[in-house]
């Protein structure tokens, strides 16, 4: 409810959160568990990272660390956090400088520029260290610069403890048995998982990482195609004690599932949402999970991936269509 009792938000920040959940039906045929997706594609800027874009800026303001019109915000991003920060920076009056690997989708670049962000690209072959080095270089050269540090910032998991976890608990009327979330920074699974386990210690919390970069399972970092998760490091904000298990999913599995979610469930989602669905279904097939409710976080919508490998086959078809 907005000002004067009207159901009109004061500004777009009041639209963050309260995303819906929906059962998956056709892609889970034969699975004995009930699997629901929390659709973070319904955020104002179409991803779960809208939550931390808001929380990290508001938290830094409350602590007197940044000032609109003066501070220049700097951050590393795979795109979605950058977009969450960019729309907030536009609202609040901050200049924003972002660093992103060059392998991430063209749509991300265009959206960031549309919000007025200054974008710097790094060579993907240099990995996350290349991104870190570039961000530090920019920070050192920027007067009044402030690095938001999503991988270390406590405001990241805190917003999921305050909002995402409670939304899942209320939306399921406390009947949720398991949470499944991809691990990028680890903020979502840490914050929401902590809240849910405090409500019911029997709830299982599962992380998801690419099989090609399964560092949380003791593997080596490596290249993969699941944009937004699997950074190749164990993030500082991730509380590994929250995790009951980390499920590995291949890029091919995630991509194919994201395509099937569009074709069979009417859900146009990104590759990391496909990964979350694959992991949830793997867990749901286990005999001990028959009849249980598994909630999977779908982090973003599919339109941000139109130029990526997810839709390569359709883009080529669309580009070569003929007039009848």
């Amino acid at each position: 409810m907005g000002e004067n009792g009207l159901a009109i938000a004061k500004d777009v920040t009041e639209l963050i959160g309260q995303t819906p959940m929906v059962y998956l039906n056709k892609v889970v045929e034969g699975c004995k568990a009930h699997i629901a997706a929390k659709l973070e594609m319904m955020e104002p800027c179409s991803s779960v990272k809208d939550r931390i874009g808001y929380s990290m800026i508001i938290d830094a303001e409350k602590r007197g660390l940044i000032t609109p019109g003066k501070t220049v915000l700097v951050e590393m991003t795979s795109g979605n956090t950058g977009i969450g920060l960019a729309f907030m920076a536009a609202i609040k009056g901050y200049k924003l400088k972002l660093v992103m690997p060059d392998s991430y989708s063209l749509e991300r670049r265009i959206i960031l520029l549309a919000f007025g962000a200054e974008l710097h690209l790094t060579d993907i072959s240099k990995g996350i260290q290349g991104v870190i080095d570039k961000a530090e270089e920019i920070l050192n050269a920027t007067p009044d610069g402030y690095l938001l540090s999503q991988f270390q910032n406590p405001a990241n998991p805190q917003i999921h403890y305050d909002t995402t976890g409670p939304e899942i608990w209320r939306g399921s009327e406390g009947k949720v048995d398991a949470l499944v979330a991809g691990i990028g920074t680890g903020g979502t699974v840490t914050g929401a998982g902590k809240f849910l386990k405090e409500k019911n210690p029997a709830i299982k919390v599962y992380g998801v990482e690419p099989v090609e970069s399964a560092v949380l399972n003791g593997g080596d970092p490596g290249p993969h195609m699941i944009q937004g998760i699997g950074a190749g490091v164990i993030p500082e904000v991730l509380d590994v004690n929250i995790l009951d298990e980390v499920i590995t999913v291949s890029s091919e599995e995630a991509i194919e599932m994201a395509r099937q979610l569009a074709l069979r469930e009417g859900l146009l989602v990104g590759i990391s949402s496909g990964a979350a669905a694959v992991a949830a279904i793997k867990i749901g097939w286990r005999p001990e999970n028959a009849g249980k409710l598994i909630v999977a976080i779908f982090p973003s919508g599919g339109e941000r991936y139109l130029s990526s490998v997810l839709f390569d086959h359709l883009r080529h078809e669309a580009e070569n269509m003929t007039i009848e």
Side-chain angles (χ1 to χ4, degrees):
M1 194 68 69
E3 293 181 351
N4 302 319
L6 301 178
I8 301 173
K10 179 181 177 182
D11 60 40
V12 72
T13 65
E14 293 186 352
L15 304 179
I16 298 170
Q18 302 299 333
T19 53
M21 293 191 289
V22 63
Y23 282 115
L24 302 183
N25 298 290
K26 295 182 179 178
V27 299
V28 300
E29 285 176 349
C31 184
K32 299 303 183 182
H34 306 290
I35 298 175
K38 186 160 177 62
L39 302 180
E40 291 297 296
M41 60 197 271
M42 305 300 285
E43 297 284 4
C45 287
S46 305
S47 96
V48 67
K49 298 298 188 178
D50 288 7
R51 296 179 189 258
I52 70 168
Y54 173 84
S55 68
M56 291 194 300
I57 288 177
I58 296 300
D59 176 71
E61 285 184 342
K62 287 180 178 178
R63 293 190 290 134
L65 300 174
I66 61 175
T67 304
K70 178 183 178 183
T71 308
V72 178
L73 304 177
V74 181
E75 183 58 343
M76 304 167 286
T77 182
S78 63
N80 284 333
T81 297
I83 292 167
L85 290 170
F87 93 93
M88 278 295 298
I91 295 167
K92 303 284 286 184
Y94 289 99
K95 184 173 183 181
L96 175 65
K97 297 183 179 183
L98 296 166
V99 183
M100 185 172 76
D102 67 340
S103 61
Y104 289 90
S105 69
L106 179 62
E107 288 82 7
R108 284 167 159 79
R109 300 184 196 180
I110 294 171
I111 294 168
L112 290 169
L113 295 174
F115 281 125
E118 180 181 306
L119 180 60
H120 300 261
L121 301 179
T122 60
D123 188 336
I124 187 60
S125 67
K126 296 181 179 179
I128 192 169
Q129 192 59 50
V131 179
I132 292 170
D133 292 344
K134 186 63 178 179
E136 290 179 348
E137 175 190 322
I138 292 170
L139 182 66
N140 292 333
T142 303
D144 296 312
Y146 180 80
L147 187 65
L148 288 155
S149 302
Q150 60 175 312
F151 281 80
Q152 293 85 33
N153 196 323
N156 174 352
Q158 187 63 45
I159 193 66
H160 295 292
Y161 180 88
D162 293 339
T163 65
T164 314
E167 288 170 27
I168 293 169
W169 182 257
R170 290 194 303 269
S172 68
E173 297 183 343
K175 296 176 182 177
V176 56
D177 295 296
L179 171 69
V180 178
I183 297 176
T185 65
T188 304
V189 75
T190 295
K194 180 182 178 182
F195 177 89
L196 292 172
K197 279 184 175 285
E198 286 178 0
K199 284 293 187 180
N200 179 4
I203 291 174
K204 300 294 184 182
V205 175
Y206 298 92
V208 185
E209 68 177 350
V211 71
E212 302 94 335
S213 190
V215 296
L216 290 162
N217 279 290
D220 295 324
H224 61 89
M225 293 180 283
I226 311 177
Q227 298 184 18
I229 69 171
V233 297
I234 298 177
E236 189 174 314
V237 300
L238 173 65
D239 183 355
V240 294
N241 296 315
I242 291 289
L243 300 170
D244 290 282
E245 187 180 348
V246 178
I247 308 296
T248 58
V249 175
S250 72
S251 296
E252 289 74 19
E253 287 178 300
I255 289 167
E256 179 56 28
M257 178 56 72
R259 292 171 177 170
Q260 290 303 312
L261 286 165
L263 290 170
R264 304 183 69 196
E265 303 284 354
L267 294 171
L268 190 67
V269 295
I271 303 171
S272 59
S273 298
V278 170
I281 292 168
K282 287 180 178 181
I283 296 162
W285 273 101
R286 297 174 180 175
E288 65 269 24
N289 291 325
K292 293 186 176 180
L293 174 58
I294 300 169
V295 174
I297 304 289
F298 279 16
S300 60
E303 291 186 358
R304 204 158 286 173
Y305 298 82
L306 294 178
S307 67
S308 77
V309 63
L310 179 57
F311 294 118
D312 270 348
H313 61 307
L314 298 179
R315 187 172 66 257
H316 296 152
E317 179 183 343
E319 289 173 345
N320 291 289
M321 293 178 75
T322 57
I323 300 172
E324 297 183 8

